Amino acid sequence: MSETHPLDLDAVSQDNPSMTRRPAAEKHRLNRASRTEGTGSLGERAYQQIRTEILFYQLPPGGRGSETSLTQRFNLRQAAVRSALQRLMQEGLVDKADERNLRVAPLTLKDVQ
C-alpha cells in the first residue's frame, strides 16, 4: 500500500473522484477570480487558493501538512503561504497540529457560508 501525503490533491481525487467536482457556476466564478489575481498580492492569492481548496474538500478536514508542502503544491513563495495560513488560522479553518505541521480544521456550515 503506497503512502500518500494527506494534502496531496491527486491522491484525494483518485480516492474519491466526486470530491474534485465543482458546480459550473462556482468554477466560472473561480476562473474569473483567477484572471484578476495578478493584480492582488501573493499573500491574497495564496489565501484564496488554500481557502477554496479547504471549502471544496480538496484539502480534507483533519488533513495535515506544512507550509513547505503548500508552497510546493501551489507554486508560491513561503512568505505568501505563511501570510495566508495566519489568516486561515484566525478564521478557524486551519490550526497547528504541532510545531512544524498544520491541520485543516473540521468544517461547519457557518465556515462554508
Side-chain angles (χ1 to χ4, degrees):
M1 182 173 180
S2 66
E3 187 174 319
T4 60
H5 192 280
L7 297 180
D8 183 359
L9 175 59
D10 294 330
V12 170
S13 61
Q14 288 172 3
D15 292 342
N16 187 350
S18 66
M19 291 178 72
T20 61
R21 295 187 191 128
R22 291 187 176 141
E26 185 62 20
K27 280 185 181 178
H28 179 68
R29 185 190 69 75
L30 292 173
N31 287 339
R32 204 174 50 229
S34 67
R35 279 180 265 161
T36 60
E37 281 179 345
T39 60
S41 71
L42 287 178
E44 180 64 25
R45 185 173 134 208
Y47 167 77
Q48 291 297 332
Q49 286 182 316
I50 297 168
R51 183 177 177 274
T52 298
E53 298 268 321
I54 290 170
L55 295 178
F56 284 95
Y57 286 82
Q58 303 299 309
L59 296 174
R64 293 174 184 255
S66 65
E67 281 181 18
T68 304
S69 66
L70 292 171
T71 300
Q72 292 170 350
R73 178 179 175 146
F74 295 110
N75 195 28
L76 293 166
R77 296 188 182 269
Q78 188 170 5
V81 171
R82 185 173 293 143
S83 169
L85 291 174
Q86 287 296 325
R87 280 181 68 183
L88 292 165
M89 279 188 235
Q90 290 173 348
E91 293 175 5
L93 293 174
V94 174
D95 56 33
K96 289 270 189 180
D98 57 41
E99 195 61 35
R100 293 184 146 196
N101 294 305
L102 53 99
R103 180 181 68 89
V104 177
L107 286 177
T108 64
L109 182 58
K110 182 180 177 182
D111 295 327
V112 174
Q113 291 173 339

